[in-house]
Amino acid sequence: GSGFMDVTELRTLLSEIGFKMSRRHVKRLADVLDQDANEEISFNELIAWYDAMCKEAAVRDEKRKHGWRKHAAACQRTLTPHPYVRIALAWVCMWGIFAALAMISIVFSVTFGSNTTRQLLLSWTFAEVQTLSIEEPIMIALGASMPWIIDRLTANEVIAEIVNDILASTVGACISTLKGMLGS
């Protein structure tokens, strides 16, 4: 051969290596490959394009492998209010809950009598003790141990790939949804 290929030869080459593309797509690819616009693709132009595609694929793969961490950090920055705001919100919530429970207790006491109210308050006390002594410590322990568990899981390359795929897709979907909701 001449050392050059035209659109027809490019389409034949792509077909032989398993890429079934329409004439229009092959023409677009040929336009991208033909850097000197002489309507022929040289071996050097083909190799330059192939090298660029391989590098781009490697970058995409690297981003995909570590993409969930970037999305998680963005999600955390987006969703985490300033510490003073969090403290203020916690106090507002606690006082709101206290006021609601006080109102419920008063209405309940007036409606059902003091003996029944005493039983209600006793059951609430047991529920709070259970929450603070059992459920909260378990949730804190799980929250603290999850990074360690994920690090151990991702030490194995096969499991790391699965975890990265799951986290990238779910965290990415979360970010997309939030951006859509926030109108960004």
Side-chain angles (χ1 to χ4, degrees), residues 100-128:
L101 290 176
M103 290 303 296
I104 289 171
S105 297
I106 292 169
V107 169
F108 195 88
S109 180
V110 168
T111 305
F112 297 106
S114 62
N115 194 28
T116 307
T117 303
R118 207 173 296 118
Q119 291 173 352
L120 173 73
L121 293 175
L122 187 61
S123 70
W124 280 354
T125 303
F126 283 131
E128 274 303 309

Side-chain angles (χ1 to χ4, degrees), residues 2-15:
S2 66
F4 294 93
M5 72 172 66
D6 61 10
V7 175
T8 307
E9 292 170 321
L10 177 63
R11 186 165 192 236
T12 303
L13 171 69
L14 291 170
S15 178

Side-chain angles (χ1 to χ4, degrees), residues 14-70:
L14 291 170
S15 178
E16 287 177 5
I17 61 174
F19 292 101
K20 305 293 184 205
M21 297 173 73
S22 69
R23 291 185 199 285
R24 186 171 45 102
H25 286 107
V26 173
K27 175 67 174 130
R28 280 193 207 157
L29 177 59
D31 290 342
V32 170
L33 293 176
D34 186 16
Q35 295 174 353
D36 55 10
N38 64 353
E39 304 227 355
E40 292 182 320
I41 302 162
S42 70
F43 180 74
N44 289 337
E45 289 172 329
L46 186 62
I47 292 302
W49 171 78
Y50 181 76
D51 284 344
M53 289 298 107
C54 287
K55 287 176 184 173
E56 189 177 302
V59 167
R60 253 192 335 267
D61 188 48
E62 189 63 27
K63 283 182 180 177
R64 186 177 52 79
K65 284 182 181 177
H66 302 290
W68 71 269
R69 288 189 175 107
K70 178 182 71 172

